[in-house]
Amino acid sequence: MKRILTLISVFALLLTACEGPQGPPGLNGLNGENGVNFVGQSFETTINFTSTNGYQETVEIPLNIDLFETDMVLTYRFIGQVDGFDVWRLLPETVYTSNGEFQYNFEHNFDFVTIYLDAPPSFDFNTLTDDQRLDQIFRVVILPVDFVNNNRLDITNYNSIEQYIIQ
């Protein structure tokens, strides 16, 4: 009999729902800082590589771009269009010609990006065609380094980072 009463009590407890008034609300959390905005920024520049400018040009990073010492600065060269979509190639980019090889390359400090042609001392830049020297379009992309590390982006593929950039 004790077993039957125990089983009935257990089933009664399991089958009964607890209802009643809602308890008091919990404490509000502490006010924190705003979240970090992990959005990259970019700008474009057109360069003519000539003997007059030493086959290089230094471009100032626009003041409207928030730049921090830890940000990653990348530079892409516009290759052309395929099926209506822009094609960009990450620098440094090596180009092979019948007269040897040269590179489109860049370096940057906090405020400036220098884009230049680089080649062995024996290379004659005068052998380059106008298509290789003049009206070269570059896109400089600034990405927060924490964002790049957290998302494991393929920075060599401009299309994979394009969605994270404010232009």
Side-chain angles (χ1 to χ4, degrees):
M1 187 68 143
K2 286 185 178 181
R3 282 189 171 168
I4 293 175
L5 287 175
T6 305
L7 284 173
I8 291 173
S9 298
V10 169
F11 282 121
L13 287 173
L14 290 175
L15 298 175
T16 357
C18 297
E19 290 187 28
Q22 184 175 0
L27 297 175
N28 288 334
L30 298 175
N31 288 335
E33 295 182 17
N34 291 336
V36 178
N37 189 7
F38 286 121
V39 175
Q41 301 171 76
S42 71
F43 67 95
E44 289 183 16
T45 186
T46 301
I47 296 176
N48 291 319
F49 295 106
T50 64
S51 58
T52 307
N53 66 10
Y55 301 100
Q56 69 177 9
E57 189 167 319
T58 299
V59 181
E60 185 173 9
I61 295 174
L63 296 176
N64 64 338
I65 291 183
D66 296 325
L67 183 64
F68 299 97
E69 293 265 351
T70 58
D71 287 348
M72 179 181 286
V73 177
L74 305 169
T75 303
Y76 295 83
R77 187 173 78 92
F78 179 71
I79 303 300
Q81 288 192 331
V82 174
D83 297 328
F85 295 98
D86 291 347
V87 178
W88 298 91
R89 188 167 295 148
L90 180 64
L91 299 189
E93 174 194 358
T94 303
V95 178
Y96 299 95
T97 70
S98 59
N99 299 313
E101 64 184 57
F102 73 96
Q103 280 188 337
Y104 295 98
N105 211 337
F106 80 103
E107 58 189 26
H108 70 90
N109 64 18
F110 190 71
D111 295 324
F112 297 95
V113 176
T114 300
I115 302 172
Y116 59 95
L117 297 183
D118 193 18
S122 61
F123 188 83
D124 183 6
F125 288 110
N126 293 320
T127 62
L128 296 179
T129 65
D130 288 350
D131 288 345
Q132 294 168 321
R133 293 183 310 105
L134 305 178
D135 296 323
Q136 296 297 306
I137 301 170
F138 295 91
R139 181 170 286 167
V140 178
V141 176
I142 293 98
L143 293 175
V145 75
D146 291 334
F147 177 71
V148 173
N149 288 338
N150 288 338
N151 288 294
R152 298 181 186 176
L153 292 175
D154 177 9
I155 61 170
T156 61
N157 182 354
Y158 179 77
N159 293 330
S160 73
I161 66 166
E162 184 177 32
Q163 61 188 325
Y164 302 107
I165 299 173
I166 297 174
Q167 298 177 18

